Amino acid sequence: MNDAFVEVVTESDLARRISQLGAELTEDYRGREPVMLGVLMGCLPFLADLVRATDLELEVDVLSLTRFGHDGRVSIMLDAAVPLAGRDVIIVEDIVDTGLTLTALRRALELRDVTSLATVALLDKAPRRIVDVPLEYRGFEVGDEFLLGYGLDWEGKFRNLRSLWAVMDLAALTQDPAAFAELVFGAPITR
Ligand code: 5GP
């Protein structure tokens, strides 16, 4: 059971790296007022921690995407409230995998006459990339395992884990999600 799930990035590793990313953004965007634009839902813990590590007069906003099929088509289901024309926009993503989603999002935002566009992704699954998309800031490069926690879900759950876990055996999770919950939350879930 314990071989099926491995904690790959601890809470303290996350805190350390996010404070470095915040310091880099503070330096690079000094004198500007960027919009930090989170991509729901996976961005939420990262966005909350990253903006508090960034000492700028920034604005925070979110949008939500719907993906169609497997060819990277996306549409914006919930749009940002802040008008983005003339703004320095920093996309905040949980993870870049194939790169298809980020490519489509960047294209959509470029049409809005933004002053600049950059992306910060907590995780970069570089080995799985199928389209070459600019990624200006990234927290960690990871392998191709399925990851959970710190915003990343399995069937809507486990986003609230404070660290990141790799699922080495997806069948084990599918067959017995309660066993994983017990491992990470420490007590059996009773219904
Ligand atoms: P891409 O278009 O780059 O292939 O996909 C990016 C999206 O796929 C992420 O925003 C995330 O929702 C999802 N994703 C990619 N890898 C993982 C993973 O390991 N775990 C989870 N929970 N979601 C992932």
Side-chain angles (χ1 to χ4, degrees):
M1 174 67 202
N2 283 353
D3 297 342
F5 309 108
V6 180
E7 188 181 33
V8 285
V9 188
T10 64
E11 218 179 321
S12 60
D13 290 340
L14 284 166
R16 196 171 319 114
R17 187 69 189 112
I18 292 167
S19 99
Q20 288 169 350
L21 288 171
E24 266 183 68
L25 292 174
T26 303
E27 191 58 35
D28 294 354
Y29 285 84
R30 196 178 296 287
R32 291 188 276 168
E33 296 181 7
V35 182
M36 306 271 282
L37 184 61
V39 183
L40 293 173
M41 303 271 294
C43 74
L44 286 174
F46 178 45
L47 180 68
D49 287 342
L50 183 64
V51 297
R52 287 176 296 168
T54 307
D55 296 319
L56 295 169
E57 287 184 53
L58 53 80
E59 281 182 82
V60 183
D61 208 335
V62 288
L63 52 69
S64 177
L65 302 175
T66 311
R67 298 183 183 87
F68 303 99
H70 297 285
D71 59 359
R73 278 173 300 150
V74 300
S75 80
I76 296 178
M77 191 169 76
L78 170 77
D79 208 341
V82 174
L84 300 177
R87 302 298 304 268
D88 294 300
V89 176
I90 304 172
I91 300 168
V92 180
E93 268 277 24
D94 49 2
I95 185 164
V96 181
D97 183 7
T98 62
L100 289 169
T101 307
L102 182 58
T103 301
L105 176 60
R106 286 186 72 117
R107 278 198 195 123
L109 296 179
E110 273 159 9
L111 295 174
R112 296 188 184 185
D113 295 323
V114 296
T115 297
S116 70
L117 192 56
T119 303
V120 49
L122 178 65
L123 303 164
D124 180 7
K125 257 190 193 179
R128 283 179 43 90
R129 197 76 88 253
I130 46 182
V131 280
D132 194 16
V133 61
L135 183 51
E136 288 79 2
Y137 304 89
R138 68 166 174 194
F140 300 92
E141 186 172 333
V142 292
D144 64 3
E145 293 85 20
F146 185 75
L147 302 174
L148 278 182
Y150 198 71
L152 293 174
D153 74 313
W154 174 77
E155 306 224 330
K157 295 179 186 167
F158 304 115
R159 293 189 197 275
N160 56 322
L161 294 177
R162 288 190 285 269
S163 59
L164 272 157
W165 292 72
V167 180
M168 313 308 282
D169 180 356
L170 209 46
L173 179 65
T174 311
Q175 281 158 22
D176 193 2
F180 178 61
E182 188 174 345
L183 174 74
V184 294
F185 296 122
I189 309 283
T190 48
R191 296 185 200 280

